[in-house]
Amino acid sequence: SAVISQKPSRDICQRGTSLTIQCQVDSQVTMMFWYRQQPGQSLTLIATANQGSEATYESGFVIDKFPISRPNLTFSTLTVSNMSPEDSSIYLCSALLSDRALNEKLFFGSGTQLSVL
Amino acid sequence: GESVGLHLPTLSVQEGDNSIINCAYSNSASDYFIWYKQESGKGPQFIIDIRSNMDKRQGQRVTVLLNKTVKHLSLQIAATQPGDSAVYFCAENPPGTYKYIFGTGTRLKVLA
């Protein structure tokens, strides 16, 4: 299966600052997604990163807080803006990848552990 | 450090025993399901999947069972090993969408 690389793997940031997380897939993919995983919680979808158009955000997430770029079929970024301690989470990039039988399955990057002081 | 799984339900099993992890899904129309394993400091790793036209699927040491009547999914791990210690999530894919809905997760602890 393809490799999804995410960086940084972790960061400690001051409140009020912004952090941009990068996600690179080693093959072209149609669908990329960003998830948040708060401490001790499950995964919550932030948005679908659409290539060449604005991301589609889930309820409770807005573009001003989580701007997303998707300049091509292999790369996306998520920015966490004006951070507060409540933004401390793991942020996960994911993509739909096809297996040998052309079934699309959701795979994840290794995540970015964000701590906001 | 581990921030995943601090408040999740925990299943403790002896090494060598079989593990059964359960999941209740939300949408009766969901037609595709995946089990993921998440180790500390890593992203979720695909384990096994099943479509709604099946009720059982087997992989290497793992079996997924699907009961659509009660919207229940289970993951069975045979001869559990220390390397199986992780948090396990089920995810459902409702029809007509690329989105996945994740369950609450279960932390599996393998006791030596």
Side-chain angles (χ1 to χ4, degrees):
Chain A
S1 59
V3 174
I4 302 176
S5 303
Q6 196 174 328
K7 62 180 181 181
S9 59
R10 59 177 60 235
D11 207 343
I12 301 172
C13 300
Q14 297 296 320
R15 68 173 68 206
T17 63
S18 298
L19 175 72
T20 295
I21 302 167
Q22 298 180 8
C23 180
Q24 178 77 52
V25 187
D26 68 356
S27 63
Q28 293 187 339
V29 294
T30 305
M31 307 296 295
M32 291 182 73
F33 308 90
W34 287 97
Y35 283 82
R36 181 174 73 182
Q37 188 175 27
Q38 294 179 300
Q41 304 284 327
S42 187
L43 284 72
T44 301
L45 180 64
I46 297 172
T48 302
N50 301 310
Q51 194 270 326
S53 64
E54 199 169 277
T56 304
Y57 289 84
E58 298 299 304
S59 176
F61 298 96
V62 295
I63 188 171
D64 290 346
K65 177 66 176 177
F66 297 102
I68 288 171
S69 79
R70 179 89 191 272
N72 56 51
L73 291 175
T74 65
F75 186 77
S76 179
T77 67
L78 168 75
T79 299
V80 186
S81 302
N82 188 24
M83 288 183 283
S84 67
E86 292 70 35
D87 294 319
S88 298
S89 289
I90 299 171
Y91 291 86
L92 292 155
C93 171
S94 65
L96 281 179
L97 301 170
S98 297
D99 62 14
R100 293 176 193 169
L102 300 182
N103 297 311
E104 287 195 311
K105 301 176 181 179
L106 188 65
F107 287 88
F108 287 86
S110 54
T112 297
Q113 173 88 58
L114 172 61
S115 298
V116 184
L117 305 179
Chain B
E2 180 173 347
S3 62
V4 173
L6 289 177
H7 309 294
L8 297 172
T10 298
L11 173 67
S12 298
V13 298
Q14 288 294 136
E15 182 178 356
D17 287 352
N18 297 334
S19 302
I20 300 176
I21 300 171
N22 297 305
C23 174
Y25 63 91
S26 59
N27 189 330
S28 59
S30 291
D31 55 7
Y32 181 57
F33 306 86
I34 300 177
W35 276 102
Y36 289 92
K37 172 186 181 183
Q38 188 176 27
E39 297 174 281
S40 180
K42 297 183 180 180
Q45 175 189 357
F46 178 99
I47 301 174
I48 190 168
D49 59 351
I50 188 168
R51 297 204 172 272
S52 59
N53 61 351
M54 304 173 70
D55 54 18
K56 179 179 180 179
R57 188 155 188 247
Q58 287 184 293
Q60 188 175 14
R61 267 199 323 117
V62 294
T63 300
V64 55
L65 298 178
L66 175 62
N67 185 332
K68 294 183 288 293
T69 303
V70 295
K71 295 190 292 183
H72 184 268
L73 203 63
S74 70
L75 177 71
Q76 300 179 359
I77 304 174
T80 311
Q81 302 169 358
D84 295 326
S85 293
V87 177
Y88 290 81
F89 294 98
C90 68
E92 61 180 297
N93 177 224
T97 175
Y98 287 108
K99 300 177 187 179
Y100 284 73
I101 303 169
F102 282 77
T104 53
T106 298
R107 186 181 187 196
L108 177 65
K109 277 189 174 179
V110 181
L111 308 172

